[in-house]
Amino acid sequence: QVQLVESGGGLVQPGGSLRLSCAASRTIFSIYDMGWYRQAPGKQRELVATITSGSTAKYADSVKGRFTISRDNAKNTVYLQMNSLKPEDTAVYYCNAIYTTAAVTFDYWGQGTQVTVSS
């Protein structure tokens, strides 16, 4: 089992910044691909950004150039730096950890942290 605990959400004005953190409970954190997803009211959960165990990052088109995902394997933590925030970024943000082999998939989610962008 891997427990994921997100933090760093809150209320921010448009154009502002927040940094989300996701701390994982397992010391083998480094083998997991990590991701941030978000879900706005009345909408489906969508991918925001992912980072592989080898630190290759990918982003949704809607956040490219504004958000940066990173990981610190020594701290078992993945981060999402969010700049130039827009009202449409308002959502609950979830952290995901996934490890897949031919035989098995381990897939874990955090409880989510609310991000609200509003003036």
Side-chain angles (χ1 to χ4, degrees), residues 2-4 22-24 26 28-37 47 49-58 69-73 76-79 94-101 104-110:
V2 175
Q3 291 185 323
L4 303 173
C22 172
R26 290 288 297 273
I28 57 172
F29 167 83
S30 63
I31 69 172
Y32 283 82
D33 294 339
M34 303 297 296
W36 286 97
Y37 292 73
L47 183 147
T50 61
I51 186 166
T52 68
S53 58
S55 293
T56 298
K58 291 185 179 180
I69 189 170
S70 61
R71 65 191 297 160
D72 185 338
N73 290 337
N76 291 354
T77 301
V78 63
Y79 303 98
Y94 296 92
C95 178
N96 173 253
I98 189 164
Y99 175 69
T100 300
T101 69
V104 67
T105 295
F106 297 104
D107 188 7
Y108 302 103
W109 292 88

Side-chain angles (χ1 to χ4, degrees), residues 7-8 12 15-22 36 38 48-49 59 63-71 78-85 89 93 115:
S7 61
V12 63
S17 298
L18 283 175
R19 188 175 83 154
L20 305 183
S21 299
C22 172
W36 286 97
R38 66 187 181 187
V48 176
Y59 299 91
V63 307
K64 280 181 183 177
R66 301 188 298 122
F67 290 10
T68 302
I69 189 170
S70 61
R71 65 191 297 160
V78 63
Y79 303 98
L80 185 69
Q81 178 66 45
M82 305 186 294
N83 299 328
S84 302
L85 282 161
D89 295 317
Y93 283 70
V115 171

